[in-house]
Amino acid sequence: MLLELPATQVLLLLASDDNLQQKIGEALEIIVQRQRLEIENLTNGGQSSSSSGAGSGTQGTSSTGGGSMMGGSGGAAVAGNGNGGSGSNAASSGSVGNQGTGVGGGANSSGYSSGVPVAVTGAGQAQGQSGISTKKTGPMLVLEDCQLDAPLFYTPGKRGFYSPRQGYPSSERMNAFRNVGRLIGLCLLQNELFPLFLQRHVLKFILGRQVRFHDLAFFDPVVYESLRQLIKDSQNKTGVSILQSLEINFVIDLMPEEGSGTVELVPGGRDIPVNESNVYDYVRKYAEYRMIKTQEKALEAIRSGVFDVLPDTALEQLTAEDLRLLLNGVGDIHVGTLISYTTFNDESNETSDKLIKFKRWLWSVVEKMSNLERQDLVYFWTGSPALPASEEGFQPMPSVTIRPADDAHLPTANTCISRLYIPLYSSKAVLRHKLLLAIKTKNFGFV
């Protein structure tokens, strides 16, 4: 699909919502199909080694909830051999950020970090949806439909900023993430803006820079502030007693997008209390696990895709802030910058005094717009909701063509050449009304 297209066609595809949506739909359909086939193969391969049901007396089954991998409520179970001792379902009630629960009420103490929920019940006994428990066979991997066809990205913290959602790490899903990385590389190579705002830790991972605890402030500001306060309180006697009363251990509860369940941050972490001497280690490992380990394969795939297109040393000197500017441009639309980029063409055949007056009206209207309205204007005008980081980012530069006087028609735009067509309206009020109406109706093309 996307990989079969030359770079120029991929960029044109990004400019068309309908075509892009069609390709995304095709890609998701293929990914989900392949994932289901992969799970069925895993099921067939594991039938010979699965344990017999405690109450059924039958052997060789590795699926529950109706005898089908995708039956019942959409859960798929694959049983594998392992140490029964790793299947404890004890969950610490004192972990910070209690935002997710284990599938089926079980806790994942095996440290599984692929982003797939792991449910374990009893002392190493796995229990299916039908309620039939098997003998000790180690953790039971539960793959829900939401993990198979989940969106590739989600917003864990600040709205509008995305982090990859690894889900079930099939080869097709990882290739989809790699294709996202290739699109990022193409946008950087062609001076195009990338339409997705990525979380700061994702940008740092692409650059090969260390992701630190303070990056959690962008990822999940609420949890970051809780952990920061925890560190601050641990420096005094009152805080130490509060820390002890919280009964926090080295475990973490994961959100559904991160795989769900409860995992240990270190081996035996369920039995290691957090105190004033190890609180720094706890918050570092907490941040690393939530931002990196739960989505590591997806992050690696995105980074590999970027450097499929760019040389390995192309981004060496950049910070995360530099990369964001190059990828997403300037979110705050400064009117002065827009004025400096813009040229005017006249098709109205009116006097220069009228044209100068009209230009003043236009910039006065733009100055009084909210930043969101300015973003809508720039999107309507150029096909991008942000200004590029530099003048070189506009190809071609934005322009305005003033057409003959006509209060009946709306402004139109040709985003391919970043050109706005505005009739010479009779007043500033008419200009403002027509321009805002055109932005809302997205009146692209020639009318």
Side-chain angles (χ1 to χ4, degrees), residues 105-355:
N108 174 12
S109 60
S110 64
Y112 190 86
S113 62
S114 70
V116 182
V118 178
V120 182
T121 57
Q125 293 184 344
Q127 184 172 358
Q129 293 175 359
S130 62
I132 302 174
S133 61
T134 62
K135 293 181 180 179
K136 294 183 180 181
T137 57
M140 175 182 287
L141 191 63
V142 180
L143 304 174
E144 296 182 327
D145 278 345
C146 65
Q147 296 293 333
L148 295 175
D149 55 2
L152 293 179
F153 293 87
Y154 74 109
T155 54
K158 186 176 179 181
R159 186 175 180 181
F161 289 82
Y162 294 87
S163 180
R165 179 176 178 175
Q166 184 171 288
Y168 176 63
S170 67
S171 57
E172 283 77 17
R173 190 170 177 86
M174 293 304 103
N175 195 49
F177 283 116
R178 190 161 186 161
N179 287 342
V180 171
R182 287 166 175 150
L183 289 176
I184 291 172
L186 279 171
C187 288
L188 291 171
L189 195 64
Q190 300 290 336
N191 255 338
E192 295 287 339
L193 293 181
F194 186 64
L196 196 67
F197 285 77
L198 297 174
Q199 285 268 347
R200 189 170 191 265
H201 75 280
V202 180
L203 299 179
K204 291 184 77 171
F205 194 94
I206 291 172
L207 295 171
R209 299 187 179 275
Q210 186 176 357
V211 177
R212 300 181 183 275
F213 166 64
H214 64 259
D215 295 312
L216 189 67
F218 300 89
F219 180 82
D220 193 331
V222 176
V223 171
Y224 170 80
E225 186 56 34
S226 298
L227 293 175
R228 191 189 67 79
Q229 191 64 41
L230 200 66
I231 294 172
K232 184 179 177 181
D233 291 343
S234 68
Q235 307 304 311
N236 56 69
K237 291 183 179 180
T238 305
V240 170
S241 61
I242 293 174
L243 188 60
Q244 292 173 347
S245 67
L246 290 174
E247 299 182 353
I248 303 172
N249 295 331
F250 274 70
V251 294
I252 180 173
D253 294 331
L254 300 177
M255 296 173 62
E257 294 87 354
E258 298 163 353
S260 297
T262 304
V263 295
E264 295 179 335
L265 296 175
V266 295
R270 199 175 301 282
D271 301 318
I272 302 175
V274 177
N275 53 47
E276 66 276 11
S277 62
N278 63 17
V279 65
Y280 286 99
D281 191 37
Y282 170 75
V283 297
R284 282 195 295 267
K285 290 186 180 299
Y286 182 98
E288 179 189 14
Y289 203 98
R290 282 203 64 196
M291 290 189 287
I292 301 299
K293 290 189 178 297
T294 57
Q295 319 290 355
E296 193 162 14
K297 292 182 180 179
L299 290 167
E300 289 282 5
I302 291 173
R303 188 173 192 275
S304 297
V306 171
F307 292 104
D308 285 344
V309 178
L310 300 177
D312 293 342
T313 58
L315 307 179
E316 274 186 354
Q317 304 302 317
L318 299 183
T319 65
E321 289 71 25
D322 295 332
L323 183 55
R324 183 176 304 288
L325 273 176
L326 291 174
L327 276 179
N328 305 125
V330 182
D332 293 330
I333 309 297
H334 296 286
V335 179
T337 304
L338 189 57
I339 291 173
S340 67
Y341 288 166
T342 305
T343 58
F344 283 82
N345 307 305
D346 176 39
E347 293 181 357
S348 67
N349 297 321
E350 295 288 349
T351 63
S352 60
D353 289 343
K354 280 191 175 182
L355 295 178

Side-chain angles (χ1 to χ4, degrees), residues 365-444:
V365 168
V366 175
E367 281 180 345
K368 291 178 181 178
M369 287 180 174
S370 66
N371 191 63
L372 181 59
E373 287 173 333
R374 289 178 196 165
Q375 288 178 335
D376 289 341
L377 170 63
V378 173
Y379 177 69
F380 172 78
W381 188 347
T382 68
S384 169
L387 295 179
S390 67
E391 191 174 313
E392 289 75 19
F394 266 125
Q395 297 177 355
M397 296 289 283
S399 62
V400 177
T401 295
I402 302 175
R403 288 188 156 171
D406 180 3
D407 283 357
H409 286 81
L410 296 175
T412 59
N414 188 339
T415 57
C416 296
I417 57 175
S418 300
R419 181 165 295 174
L420 186 62
Y421 298 89
I422 307 179
L424 190 65
Y425 292 118
S426 59
S427 69
K428 186 165 75 170
V430 173
L431 169 61
R432 183 180 185 281
H433 173 72
K434 295 289 186 180
L435 189 57
L436 290 175
L437 188 59
I439 291 169
K440 291 176 181 177
T441 56
K442 294 181 172 55
N443 194 20
F444 296 100

Side-chain angles (χ1 to χ4, degrees), residues 35-71:
Q35 287 174 345
R36 294 186 191 281
L37 287 173
E38 195 168 322
I39 291 173
E40 288 176 6
N41 291 336
L42 284 172
T43 307
N44 295 332
Q47 284 181 346
S48 59
S49 60
S50 58
S51 301
S52 61
S56 64
T58 59
Q59 296 181 346
T61 60
S62 61
S63 60
T64 59
S68 169
M69 286 302 298
M70 303 310 300

